[in-house]
Amino acid sequence: MDWFEKSLQENFDLPPKNPSEEAQRRWRSAVGALVKNRRRRFRMVADLDSRSQNEAHQRSIQEKIRLALYVQKAAITFIDGTKHKEYRLTEDIINARFSINPDELASITSKHDVKALRMHGGVDGISKKIRSTFDHGISASDLDTRQNIYGVNRYAEKPSRSFWMFVWDALQDMTLIILMVCALISAVVGLASEGFPKGMYDGLGIILSILLVVMVTAVSDYRQSLQFKELDNEKKKIFIHVTRDGSRQKISIYDLVVGDIVHLSIGDQVPADGLYIHGYSLLIDESSLSGESDPVYISKDKPFLLAGTKVQDGSAKMMVTAVGMRTEWGRLMSTLSEGGEDETPLQVKLNGVATIIGKIGLVFATLTFVVLMVRFLIEKGLTVGLSNWYSTDALTIVNYFATAVTIIVVAVPEGLPLAVTLSLAFAMKKLMHDKALVRHLSACETMGSAGTICTDKTGTLTTNHMVVDRIWISDASKSVTSDSSLEDLNSVISPTTLGLFLQGIFENTSAEVVKEKDGAQTVLGTPTERAILEFGLKLQGSHDAEDRTCTKVKVEPFNSDKKKMAVLVSLPNGTYRWFSKGASEIVVQMCDMMVDADGNSVPLSEAQRRNILDAINAFASDALRTLCLAYKEVDDFDDDSDSPTGGFTLISIFGIKDPLHPGVKDAVKACMSAGIIVRMVTGDNINTAKAIAKECGILTDDGIAIEGQDFRSKSPEEMRDLIPKIRVMARSLPLDKHTLVTNLRGMFHEVVAVTGDGTNDAPALHEADIGLAMGIAGTEEVLLSQQCSCCGLI
């Protein structure tokens, strides 16, 4: 059987992730040599020729979009001048009290037509013409009217294949066609020799067998297609934040309509074409549309946002101007074929086995037919002679031929790949019931081979609902878990310190307090930001009660590389104040002053600095995430420069707690007992990470904890010795997790699973054999993007 295994390895052995095009073409060539029905054999295999055509078509469309975005306006004006299209207001638009044609509104954004935008009065003028306001949004009662006139936010999809199309595909099998010919010949010969109905028995039996095979195959393929369609609909359920009826709401992207005010933040995918209203440092990645790798800075001078692009940095509000097929992304998506076209490695190998068995069956079927015919001719020559032929002789030859075909039918295990496909699809269905949506079929199979799990901490192992547990302020450390402790804190610090502290909380935050429909207040934002803002609201009593005596001038959103965020506010006396908040060791290094109990800024001595670092380590050793808040007074600022990196005054240190999810300890223990190594990779302080890792059982006696800075400085030889021992990596950058996953797969040939809940986890999720995204903070959009080939769970 050595030649059998060699043939499997040469023609049917594909890597478990991203097989090369040459390997896939070799596989198709080997299978296609026997099975002529390409629709059945290749129904779930990558059609490389079609894929190449799609990619070429996509590049062509990207080039056209690039021209529409970046070519000189003179050329566009010339084209529009020679073929001018007049937009008219129809009766339906006028009756709905709108003042702009849907196609004209869509063209303003898609063509980046600044001239047309100004002609309509800019973004303010457009908002009036579509009856939307920046603060109130649209009215929910107008949704149906807006969808009827401006369209729904859905893309045209290929129509589903009917059951009878699957029946027709099943009938195209070459083996079944041969059997049908045999059945017809057998029926004709039987009627001529034995009469009706006895002569029909053999032919009718073959026909019934064919119908049975066809119906089983068609029903199985049809049910499988329905499962994929249902899963495809599930993975497209993405929710966004909009302002409607004056309140911020979370809605499905399919419910988005023209005029909606959409809130965008880092990692979000722009859900529709729209116009920028206001925001901070908004950078958009348009590579999915234009092919340009450089991010585009969006401002009021360049306010055009296109669906399908991604927010790379900053935050903003935008007003939707086009949805669905009127967007550039909709036009692009309508030209591409979606859905699963790649087989899993197991299916490839089983198809290879089935093909080789089929070849063996074909050889033996041919030998059987030849032997039977030779014996028949010898017997006939010895008895009645080869010159005398009768109708029974034809029936005998047909029976010999049917016997040979039966051997082929039995030998070729057509149902084997189908059974694997159905079993994996069933596994996907079961996982979906457990709130795990499988994007690629191969993930179900690959998960069974995983030997390493690289997991994030916050939001994955923990509940992702943080609260401020302890606080250091004015050289004193206090627990703030109860109302009485809050009152005690109010009595300890001076009103001046409290005012400065609350101002730093309320101004330097990306969280937001919104009112629900029932009038209740909810804090929206990242878990850390929510915890600090909720603490500030409790300490203040009410966000609305805050006396706003300053105005935001400049905002620097949180950046995973800098590990801090900053805001510049103007004060009533004409000066400015920077507030900075971020990782403790970074912010403390920026400070040379601190706020004392009376609210005065005093120099930060070395002894006090050591006490502060001891407090940070004490918080971290109790599994608390630490953040520092500091400020700096300035007389002037530069619009193009970043926030200062020194001269700050330390206000406070937050100790934030995020408890473990129930069942995490048992899950880690189960993985360990199954031989799966669990590694924690987080951006938190190393002491916090070690405390959490010990609590849930990840950090064992034979494992080590390391910081990302130390890890990335190691040579490949040092990494080879170090990586097997790593159980915790703290203060890691996105590149550190990506490097760890790459080395685990490359150096040690591990099957690696990666979990993450933030956009910064996307590179590692994409590199891993299997990506497990928690569906928040942008990872869902990353995995669902057309540009991402990660096989994963959401």
Side-chain angles (χ1 to χ4, degrees):
M1 296 297 287
D2 292 340
W3 67 270
F4 183 82
E5 295 179 359
K6 183 179 179 181
S7 178
L8 279 177
Q9 292 176 355
E10 290 180 352
N11 296 317
F12 305 102
D13 190 21
L14 297 184
K17 182 178 174 67
N18 301 330
S20 67
E21 182 174 332
E22 188 275 331
Q24 294 184 69
R25 289 191 183 277
R26 185 175 69 244
W27 184 90
R28 291 179 68 90
S29 175
V31 177
L34 173 66
V35 183
K36 303 303 180 184
N37 183 5
R38 300 172 66 85
R39 290 186 179 180
R40 287 195 65 202
R41 176 58 72 191
F42 301 129
R43 64 183 177 273
M44 282 296 295
V45 184
D47 187 345
L48 302 177
D49 294 333
S50 175
R51 175 183 288 177
S52 298
Q53 293 175 3
N54 282 340
E55 290 176 350
H57 197 174
Q58 183 177 3
R59 287 194 297 269
S60 174
I61 293 177
Q62 286 179 339
E63 185 63 27
K64 293 178 182 178
I65 296 174
R66 184 187 288 112
L67 290 175
L69 295 174
Y70 302 112
V71 171
Q72 294 296 327
K73 297 302 180 182
I76 298 177
T77 304
F78 175 77
I79 296 172
D80 292 340
T82 57
K83 187 166 50 177
H84 180 69
K85 182 176 181 180
E86 183 180 355
Y87 298 102
R88 295 184 301 171
L89 295 178
T90 63
E91 186 177 347
D92 292 340
I93 298 175
I94 296 173
N95 291 338
R97 295 183 291 119
F98 297 120
S99 306
I100 188 169
N101 183 281
D103 294 327
E104 182 180 10
L105 181 60
S107 68
I108 291 175
T109 306
S110 63
K111 294 181 179 179
H112 287 38
D113 196 339
V114 178
K115 183 178 179 180
L117 180 62
R118 291 175 181 171
M119 184 182 68
H120 287 284
V123 180
D124 290 331
I126 294 292
S127 67
K128 293 177 182 178
K129 292 188 175 185
I130 59 177
R131 296 195 292 113
S132 176
T133 60
F134 300 155
D135 296 330
H136 188 272
I138 65 171
S139 175
S141 60
D142 292 341
L143 294 181
D144 293 337
T145 303
R146 292 178 183 273
Q147 289 180 343
N148 291 334
I149 294 177
Y150 291 102
V152 296
N153 198 31
R154 292 180 181 271
Y155 304 126
E157 298 180 352
K158 295 169 62 176
S160 301
R161 304 184 70 200
S162 66
F163 172 74
W164 298 110
M165 295 178 70
F166 288 97
V167 173
W168 176 253
D169 286 346
L171 287 171
Q172 304 303 308
D173 189 271
M174 185 60 66
T175 306
L176 296 182
I177 293 174
I178 295 174
L179 282 175
M180 285 186 278
V181 173
C182 291
L184 181 62
I185 296 175
S186 177
V188 172
V189 174
L191 286 174
S193 60
E194 300 182 34
F196 183 84
K198 187 176 181 180
M200 290 289 295
Y201 290 161
D202 291 340
L204 187 61
I206 297 175
I207 291 174
L208 290 176
S209 300
I210 293 171
L211 290 177
L212 180 61
V213 171
V214 168
M215 294 306 295
V216 169
T217 303
V219 169
S220 299
D221 286 350
Y222 180 64
R223 292 185 61 185
Q224 178 186 338
S225 71
L226 292 180
Q227 286 180 336
F228 274 110
K229 184 177 180 181
E230 184 178 349
L231 288 170
D232 194 53
N233 292 333
E234 285 290 331
K235 76 181 184 182
K236 291 179 180 177
K237 291 182 179 179
I238 302 173
F239 293 88
I240 56 172
H241 289 278
V242 301
T243 297
R244 283 184 183 173
D245 293 324
S247 63
R248 185 163 170 173
Q249 305 175 23
K250 189 176 182 181
I251 66 169
S252 168
I253 58 171
Y254 295 134
D255 296 331
L256 202 66
V257 296
V258 169
D260 266 324
I261 307 301
V262 179
H263 300 257
L264 299 175
S265 57
I266 295 178
D268 288 345
Q269 179 170 307
V270 180
D273 287 0
L275 297 172
Y276 172 90
I277 300 173
H278 64 79
Y280 306 103
S281 307
L282 185 63
L283 278 179
I284 297 293
D285 178 10
E286 293 187 348
S287 59
S288 59
L289 279 177
S290 67
E292 297 288 348
S293 58
D294 294 334
V296 178
Y297 178 71
I298 304 297
S299 63
K300 291 186 177 180
D301 296 329
K302 191 178 181 182
F304 306 105
L305 291 159
L306 298 179
T309 58
K310 292 186 177 61
V311 180
Q312 186 167 316
D313 197 5
S315 60
K317 285 185 180 181
M318 84 164 197
M319 181 175 64
V320 177
T321 58
V323 294
M325 297 308 297
R326 284 194 171 92
T327 65
E328 290 297 331
W329 182 256
R331 297 190 187 101
L332 176 62
M333 293 302 296
S334 64
T335 65
L336 303 178
S337 59
E338 298 183 16
E341 60 174 16
D342 292 337
E343 269 198 342
T344 73
L346 180 59
Q347 288 174 308
V348 170
K349 289 182 173 64
L350 289 177
N351 274 329
V353 173
T355 301
I356 293 180
I357 293 175
K359 288 181 178 180
I360 296 173
L362 179 62
V363 171
F364 279 98
T366 303
L367 288 175
T368 301
F369 181 73
V370 170
V371 169
L372 290 175
M373 283 299 298
V374 169
R375 189 185 71 173
F376 170 75
L377 292 174
I378 292 175
E379 290 179 351
K380 186 174 180 61
L382 295 176
T383 54
V384 297
L386 295 176
S387 59
N388 298 318
W389 291 87
Y390 307 99
S391 59
T392 56
D393 294 337
L395 181 61
T396 301
I397 294 174
V398 170
N399 287 333
Y400 290 164
F401 185 69
T403 301
V405 172
T406 302
I407 292 175
I408 297 176
V409 173
V410 173
V412 179
E414 288 284 346
L416 187 59
L418 178 63
V420 174
T421 302
L422 290 176
S423 64
L424 292 178
F426 178 74
M428 293 170 69
K429 192 78 173 178
K430 296 291 287 183
L431 284 168
M432 190 174 68
H433 287 305
D434 293 333
K435 308 293 185 183
L437 175 60
V438 183
R439 186 190 176 206
H440 289 294
L441 196 65
S442 58
C444 292
E445 174 193 329
T446 314
M447 273 192 294
S449 305
T452 295
I453 298 176
C454 296
T455 177
D456 188 28
K457 180 181 74 67
T458 306
T460 305
L461 298 177
T462 56
T463 60
N464 204 33
H465 186 79
M466 295 179 133
V467 294
V468 177
D469 185 75
R470 296 173 66 183
I471 186 173
W472 179 97
I473 189 170
S474 299
D475 211 12
S477 179
K478 297 288 183 181
S479 175
V480 289
T481 55
S482 63
D483 293 338
S484 59
S485 59
L486 289 177
E487 294 176 1
D488 183 52
L489 181 64
N490 269 317
S491 63
V492 171
I493 60 177
S494 66
T496 304
T497 304
L498 179 61
L500 186 64
F501 177 64
L502 291 176
Q503 189 181 64
I505 290 177
F506 293 133
E507 297 298 337
N508 189 24
T509 182
S510 61
E512 184 178 355
V513 180
V514 299
K515 289 185 178 180
E516 303 289 348
K517 291 183 177 180
D518 57 1
Q521 286 189 338
T522 303
V523 178
L524 298 178
T526 63
T528 303
E529 293 295 312
R530 285 176 56 192
I532 294 176
L533 186 55
E534 287 172 352
F535 172 72
L537 292 174
K538 289 181 180 179
L539 198 61
Q540 171 70 27
S542 170
H543 194 186
D544 296 333
E546 180 204 355
D547 181 20
R548 291 190 174 274
T549 58
C550 56
T551 305
K552 287 185 181 180
V553 177
K554 187 176 180 180
V555 174
E556 289 185 6
F558 179 82
N559 185 288
S560 59
D561 292 326
K562 296 180 180 179
K563 295 190 180 299
K564 65 183 181 70
M565 62 183 297
V567 62
L568 179 68
V569 298
S570 62
L571 302 177
N573 59 7
T575 60
Y576 300 91
R577 179 179 290 162
W578 279 103
F579 284 104
S580 184
K581 179 177 65 184
S584 302
E585 62 271 23
I586 294 175
V587 176
V588 169
Q589 291 297 324
M590 297 163 47
C591 297
D592 54 17
M593 307 276 284
M594 62 170 287
V595 178
D596 64 10
D598 298 325
N600 301 318
S601 296
V602 296
L604 191 61
S605 65
E606 286 302 318
Q608 288 172 322
R609 188 181 295 273
R610 284 195 297 270
N611 291 336
I612 292 171
L613 294 177
D614 290 341
I616 293 173
N617 292 331
F619 283 9
S621 62
D622 292 336
L624 300 179
R625 170 180 285 189
T626 60
L627 289 176
C628 285
L629 177 64
Y631 81 98
K632 180 180 181 179
E633 304 278 359
V634 292
D635 296 327
D636 201 358
F637 71 97
D638 186 356
D639 287 329
D640 298 328
S641 63
D642 294 334
S643 61
T645 58
F648 278 82
T649 301
L650 182 64
I651 301 175
S652 67
I653 303 171
F654 298 98
I656 304 173
K657 185 177 183 179
D658 188 10
L660 288 175
H661 274 295
V664 165
K665 295 180 182 179
D666 294 335
V668 171
K669 185 178 180 181
C671 289
M672 296 288 193
S673 62
I676 301 173
I677 298 175
V678 182
R679 294 176 168 89
M680 178 196 293
V681 187
T682 178
D684 263 357
N685 180 286
I686 189 169
N687 293 323
T688 306
K690 287 169 66 176
I692 292 291
K694 289 180 180 178
E695 184 179 352
C696 61
I698 292 177
L699 185 58
T700 55
D701 295 336
D702 57 345
I704 64 173
I706 188 173
E707 289 191 336
Q709 184 177 359
D710 297 333
F711 174 76
R712 73 180 77 104
S713 64
K714 302 295 183 182
S715 64
E717 292 75 15
E718 291 174 323
M719 284 190 178
R720 185 180 295 274
D721 297 331
L722 178 66
I723 287 177
K725 305 174 185 177
I726 292 178
R727 293 298 180 269
V728 176
M729 187 187 297
R731 287 299 178 211
S732 62
L733 299 177
L735 184 61
D736 297 331
K737 182 180 282 192
H738 181 269
T739 302
L740 177 63
V741 173
T742 303
N743 288 333
L744 282 170
R745 295 184 67 241
M747 287 185 182
F748 303 97
H749 305 290
E750 291 272 6
V751 177
V752 183
V754 171
T755 71
D757 67 342
T759 310
N760 58 333
D761 297 318
L765 287 168
H766 187 276
E767 176 63 24
D769 291 289
I770 185 161
L772 305 157
M774 310 311 291
I776 59 176
T779 48
E780 183 173 359
E781 287 77 5
V782 169
L783 285 182
L784 297 182
S785 165
Q786 290 297 314
Q787 303 300 320
C788 178
S789 61
C790 172
C791 63
L793 302 178
I794 296 172

